[in-house]
């Protein structure tokens, strides 16, 4: 039922005149967030890191602000999004960057309580707010709200992403293009940069100008890394490089637009579900049309 509802709404969004403006908003604000806080490239830049941090934030939201490595690993390790070693290393790095904190008692590191704070929480809230604003043409809530109400809406969306990760097998599959870019940090914002460039007046049949040097500097990565991402995309026929110009294939453009429409559709449906039945440990019944599973956070 959820897959069908998402599909219907995503198709409506795709065919809506407001979609191009929403897409432009996402492209601009998400890439800007990563460029302004380059530590996000490591913290959220690929899907494994994103799943780890967002799962931790979601678990903490319903457990007094705390999570454990064991609870996060139970979500992200079985589907292969991140290894146990990587989740530990990422949380340890976040602690070194003063945005994760461990709490007593000690003992088993997997069961030790942790919390997130500081710049990573601010960045997550910024990204969540960006999606809320982009999805606003298709929901009843206004895009901009009073600060207190806005904070609640953002927290609810973060909770929704956590639910999404635990129920990904029940949701539509991502396109090959999106999976490829999500597999390499910072693939997603680079993909949005390409999508944005493809919509400019300067883009023609020969492609659009895309500077690997400027991209590397903006995200704090090497030019070789940018080249490697583009080369892999070219091998998969997602794009074609022509000197300093890049041509995104028509199927790639269509598939990425579809994926982003599904993301916005999920934001809309989650917001509607929260308004009608606030979520507990699982999704509101109004989201899926049935009771959630018994999976714990």
């Amino acid at each position: 039922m959820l897959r069908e509802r998402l599909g219907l709404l995503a198709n409506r969004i795709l065919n809506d005149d407001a979609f191009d403006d929403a897409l432009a908003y996402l492209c601009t604000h998400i890439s800007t967030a990563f460029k302004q806080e380059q530590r996000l490239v490591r913290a959220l830049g690929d899907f494994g890191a994103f799943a780890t941090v967002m799962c931790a934030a979601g678990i903490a939201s319903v457990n007094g602000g705390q999570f454990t490595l064991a609870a996060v690993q139970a979500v992200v390790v079985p589907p292969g999004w991140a290894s146990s070693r990587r989740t530990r290393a990422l949380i340890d790095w976040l602690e070194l960057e003063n945005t994760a904190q461990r709490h007593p008692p000690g003992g088993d590191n997997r069961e030790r309580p942790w919390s997130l704070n500081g710049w990573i929480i601010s960045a997550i809230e910024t990204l969540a707010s960006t999606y809320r604003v982009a999805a606003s043409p298709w929901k009843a809530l206004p895009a901009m709200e009073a600060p207190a109400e806005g904070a609640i809406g953002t927290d609810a969306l973060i909770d929704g992403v956590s639910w999404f990760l635990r129920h990904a097998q029940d949701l539509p599959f991502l396109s090959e293009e999106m999976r490829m870019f999500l597999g390499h940090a910072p693939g997603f914002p680079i993909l949005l940069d390409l999508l944005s460039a493809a919509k400019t007046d300067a883009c023609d049949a020969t492609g659009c100008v895309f500077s690997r040097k400027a991209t590397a500097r903006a995200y704090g990565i090497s030019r070789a890394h940018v080249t490697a991402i583009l080369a892999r995309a070219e091998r998969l026929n997602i794009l074609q490089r022509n000197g300093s110009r890049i041509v995104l294939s028509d199927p790639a453009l269509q598939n990425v637009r579809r994926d982003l429409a599904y993301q916005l559709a999920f934001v809309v449906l989650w917001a509607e579900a929260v308004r009608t039945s606030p979520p507990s440990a699982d999704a509101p019944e109004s989201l899926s049309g049935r009771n959630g599973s018994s999976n714990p956070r």
Side-chain angles (χ1 to χ4, degrees):
M1 172 122 180
L2 174 56
R3 189 188 294 261
E4 294 175 359
R5 294 188 66 197
L6 278 172
L8 289 171
L9 182 54
N11 285 333
R12 174 190 157 197
I13 291 173
L14 268 172
N15 294 307
D16 195 310
D17 291 340
F19 181 56
D20 283 340
D21 288 339
L23 206 56
Y25 186 88
L26 280 180
C27 291
T28 298
H29 287 75
I30 291 178
S31 64
T32 297
F34 277 82
K35 292 170 183 175
Q36 290 180 342
E37 176 51 86
Q38 293 183 344
R39 288 177 293 185
L40 288 179
V41 171
R42 182 168 180 179
L44 298 172
D46 65 87
F47 190 73
F50 174 84
T52 297
V53 173
M54 293 305 300
C55 181
I59 292 170
S61 72
V62 293
N63 285 285
Q66 297 184 349
F67 66 92
T68 65
L69 281 175
V72 172
Q73 290 167 349
V75 176
V76 303
V77 174
W81 295 335
S83 66
S84 295
R85 178 177 295 179
R86 189 183 182 196
T87 59
R88 288 195 301 270
L90 181 56
I91 299 303
D92 285 343
W93 176 76
L94 290 174
E95 182 183 29
L96 290 175
E97 293 295 326
N98 299 314
T99 198
Q101 181 180 0
R102 65 181 73 198
H103 301 277
D108 185 354
N109 282 336
R110 295 180 71 252
E111 299 296 341
R112 176 194 292 273
W114 288 80
S115 62
L116 298 176
N117 50 61
W119 62 265
I120 190 63
I121 293 299
S122 296
I124 291 172
E125 290 175 346
T126 295
L127 295 175
S129 178
T130 297
Y131 270 93
R132 291 177 61 245
V133 174
S136 61
W138 301 282
K139 62 182 180 181
L141 285 179
M144 305 301 293
E145 300 165 336
E149 294 176 352
I152 294 172
T154 298
D155 288 345
L157 181 53
I158 293 171
D159 190 65
V161 173
S162 178
W163 181 91
F164 179 96
L165 292 170
R166 293 183 293 110
H167 297 79
Q169 71 279 1
D170 299 325
L171 301 171
F173 295 109
L174 293 173
S175 67
E176 180 182 34
E177 293 85 357
M178 185 67 76
R179 292 199 305 273
M180 191 244 102
F181 278 93
L182 287 177
H184 305 274
F188 185 56
I190 288 178
L191 176 60
L192 296 184
D193 286 342
L194 289 169
L195 191 63
S196 181
K199 291 298 182 181
T200 63
D201 294 336
C203 190
D204 55 29
T206 65
C208 54
V209 175
F210 188 80
S211 171
R212 290 171 293 166
K213 181 178 180 180
T215 299
R217 184 186 302 115
Y219 292 110
I221 57 179
S222 70
R223 182 175 175 179
H225 184 63
V226 176
T227 300
I229 293 175
L230 297 177
R232 178 167 177 78
E234 186 171 32
R235 289 195 297 272
L236 294 174
N237 298 316
I238 296 172
L239 56 82
Q240 182 179 354
R241 292 178 293 169
N242 180 21
S244 63
R245 302 182 75 83
I246 288 179
V247 180
L248 280 174
S249 71
D250 287 339
L253 278 171
Q254 294 171 9
N255 289 337
V256 171
R257 286 171 61 88
R258 170 190 168 276
D259 288 338
L260 293 171
Y262 266 96
Q263 291 179 13
L264 294 178
F266 180 82
V267 173
V268 173
L269 291 182
W270 184 266
E272 291 177 354
V274 169
R275 286 200 301 271
T276 56
S277 57
S280 56
D282 284 286
E285 292 184 26
S286 57
L287 181 68
S288 60
R290 56 179 173 79
N291 289 326
S293 71
S294 58
N295 291 342
R297 283 188 186 276

